[in-house]
Amino acid sequence: MPESFTGRGDPVGEGGLTASELLALDRRHVWHPYGPMPGREEPLLVESAAGVRLRLAEPVEGRRELVDGMSSWWSAIHGYNHPVLNAAATEQLGRMSHVMFGGLTHEPAVRLSRRLVDITPEGLEHVFLADSGSVSVEVALKMCLQYQRSRGRPRRQRLLTWRGGYHGDTWNPMSVCDPDGGMHGLWAGVLPRQVFADAPPSGFDAAVDPVYAAHLRELVARHADELAAVIVEPVVQGAGGMRFHSPAYLRVLREACDEHDVLLVLDEIATGFGRTGALFACGHAGIAPDVLCLGKALTGGYLTMAATLCTSRVAEGISRGEVPVLAHGPTFMGNPLAAAVADASLGLLLGQDWAAEVARVESGLRAGLEPVRALPGVRDVRVLGAVGVVQLDGPVDTAAAGRAAVREGVWLRPFRDTVYTMPPYVTGDEDVARICAGVRAAVAASVEATAATGTAAR
Ligand SMILES: *Cc1c(COP(=O)(O)O)cnc(C)c1O
């Protein structure tokens, strides 16, 4: 426990609990992402957030305010406590925060769906509003299997993906996550067995590797009889390791899918809404998927909502089948509050020169992170859009790295062998520079800590 949190401090909020009491209760009762119970790491207690800053209940490492380098898992693209999003939420709250979506509909869901159809690639006409990214992937996969079944190909039940991916934590998404280095290796043998291509060669600008392209084509052809769909993250593989690849491989997959009547699902939950410099990452490749998953930044980081879009071919295929309905309907499907905020968030994004803002953040990240390449222990530095990644030679000492970033006044959450940032698009130039200083400090601290404990090579 950091010293600043032990046994003192004024009550936080109206519950009358001090910061140290809250943290003790948290440790005893509250499960955190990807953690054990009781928790091992010490979370930071956040009191409020505004703009690009998180305000802590008490200082940690001498800092009460942290510049947010994570956008709350890549979702808060406009920053926190934004007046336009607050107004949308408050206004909708005055009408209704939720009604069921079976047999009822409402303006926020209709407006949002029409906007999503308008801004996504040509051909995606229909929208299923889900309540999280993982669920939107489940829905996408169910759509694909059901489409194939409806067309009289019930054997087409498997999926093809490439290694290094991440598609969520529920069952079927886990089956297409990276099977080796990923978080779900424990379940190999229990999960549905999918077809894995090698991970795409690294580098957004790298020349196309014809051997790899042939590998993709061959694998789709060989398994075509049993494949319902190919699912990949376009251009940036996020939680599987923050790797970038050439958009050309997406064109290869599109062609191979068309040739063998396999559906192409693109998971843009992380890359959508401008993050990579294109409004959707498939725009870099000039292709459109049959099914598209969106989430994370959809509501500007305010509420949980995701969307699965599909073409009329997919929808009609399903609707002509033996069971002509999509049997899926989350209780909070189409939640009006989330939909209203999502529509306002998209209005904010599209109402400005978002591409210029992302390009501005990109050049700040390039300037600030390129020098990190020279530090010992650094394998690679890469930047695309508002994504900046420093890859180390081995696993990051996440505790040491995180603490060093906090000391610089920056919130980062390194994982695996990367220290990375995906800041809000509204992050000013000085704050982008500060985030880069935080990344540099985190990298240096991790390398020092692993050298000290002799774990660097493991
Ligand atoms: C985060 C993420 C998901 C899962 O979304 P949740 O809302 O966390 O369920 C799926 N795919 C990609 C690419 C993601 O980045």
Side-chain angles (χ1 to χ4, degrees):
M1 192 176 257
E3 236 151 44
S4 48
F5 274 167
T6 45
R8 56 177 189 81
D10 300 323
V12 176
E14 288 165 13
L17 295 167
T18 63
S20 53
E21 285 167 339
L22 284 169
L23 285 168
L25 287 169
D26 182 277
R27 187 201 295 275
R28 198 171 315 142
H29 298 301
V30 185
W31 219 308
H32 282 266
Y34 308 110
M37 191 77 243
R40 254 197 314 264
E41 57 180 311
E42 177 72 15
L44 306 182
L45 186 60
V46 181
E47 181 182 83
S48 61
V52 299
R53 283 176 163 70
L54 309 178
R55 185 169 171 79
L56 304 179
E58 289 196 335
V60 176
E61 303 287 343
R63 299 284 184 176
R64 184 90 193 261
E65 280 198 340
L66 303 179
V67 176
D68 179 20
M70 300 300 294
S71 302
S72 283
W73 269 333
W74 329 339
S75 63
I77 53 177
H78 308 297
Y80 301 91
N81 230 318
H82 195 289
V84 172
L85 302 188
N86 287 4
T90 312
E91 203 266 343
Q92 183 57 39
L93 202 52
R95 294 170 195 266
M96 59 192 172
S97 78
H98 186 63
V99 292
M100 65 189 282
F101 213 45
L104 302 176
T105 194
H106 44 77
E107 185 177 343
V110 176
R111 284 169 65 106
L112 173 63
S113 298
R114 187 186 65 176
R115 201 198 279 271
L116 289 175
V117 168
D118 284 349
I119 65 173
T120 51
E122 193 69 25
L124 298 165
E125 291 287 330
H126 312 290
V127 184
F128 188 103
L129 295 171
D131 38 14
S132 77
S134 299
V135 171
S136 79
V137 174
E138 296 277 6
V139 169
L141 301 181
K142 189 186 278 189
M143 280 178 176
C144 293
L145 266 68
Q146 195 173 337
Y147 167 83
Q148 300 290 2
R149 179 177 290 240
S150 298
R151 302 202 51 210
R153 297 161 170 168
R155 278 193 58 229
R156 290 190 171 220
Q157 294 178 3
R158 294 182 80 191
L159 306 162
L160 184 148
T161 187
W162 47 36
R163 288 170 188 270
Y166 176 79
H167 297 283
D169 298 335
T170 59
W171 210 248
N172 287 298
M174 278 204 293
S175 77
V176 283
C177 289
D178 186 54
D180 299 325
M183 328 185 206
H184 302 314
L186 176 63
W187 300 107
V190 183
L191 293 169
R193 282 183 48 252
Q194 314 295 12
V195 180
F196 286 94
D198 296 340
S202 293
F204 177 75
D205 293 317
V208 183
D209 176 356
V211 176
Y212 183 73
H215 166 63
L216 289 179
R217 283 196 206 94
E218 192 274 328
L219 216 54
V220 174
R222 172 148 47 104
H223 292 277
D225 286 351
E226 51 175 356
L227 287 181
V230 170
I231 176 169
V232 294
E233 294 158 279
V235 177
V236 174
Q237 293 181 298
M242 306 303 297
R243 286 157 46 95
F244 306 164
H245 56 258
S246 165
Y249 300 121
L250 302 168
R251 292 192 286 272
V252 172
L253 286 176
R254 180 69 276 179
E255 280 171 25
C257 286
D258 287 344
E259 191 177 330
H260 298 284
D261 204 8
V262 172
L263 295 173
L264 179 62
V265 181
L266 292 183
D267 178 350
E268 295 235 19
I269 292 169
T271 53
F273 308 112
R275 179 57 70 178
T276 69
L279 190 55
F280 298 97
C282 60
H284 291 295
I287 60 146
D290 303 294
V291 180
L292 175 69
C293 296
L294 300 172
K296 289 203 162 90
L298 175 60
T299 65
Y302 265 52
L303 289 150
T304 178
M305 175 169 268
T308 310
L309 284 83
C310 74
T311 61
S312 295
R313 173 165 76 110
V314 172
E316 283 165 16
I318 289 170
S319 305
R320 280 200 292 263
E322 57 186 297
V323 180
V325 298
L326 185 70
H328 214 106
T331 305
F332 289 98
M333 183 168 177
N335 176 253
L337 202 51
V341 175
D343 193 53
S345 173
L346 295 181
L348 263 184
L349 182 69
L350 302 166
Q352 58 171 316
D353 190 353
W354 62 266
E357 289 307 295
V358 172
R360 178 185 59 75
V361 173
E362 176 173 16
S363 60
L365 291 177
R366 279 188 201 285
L369 296 183
E370 200 46 49
V372 180
R373 202 184 284 280
L375 295 186
V378 173
R379 172 169 299 179
D380 189 31
V381 174
R382 45 189 183 263
V383 174
L384 180 69
V387 185
V389 185
V390 177
Q391 184 181 4
L392 306 191
D393 285 332
V396 176
D397 183 322
T398 51
R403 236 179 358 256
V406 168
R407 229 174 285 131
E408 293 290 322
V410 177
W411 170 239
L412 297 174
R413 191 166 165 82
F415 77 118
R416 292 163 68 127
D417 59 350
T418 65
V419 180
Y420 77 96
T421 176
M422 291 212 197
Y425 304 165
V426 296
T427 310
D429 294 342
E430 275 180 27
D431 285 333
V432 173
R434 178 182 284 247
I435 289 171
C436 292
V439 171
R440 269 199 302 277
V443 167
S446 172
V447 170
E448 195 174 309
T450 46
T453 56
T455 56
R458 258 172 259 156

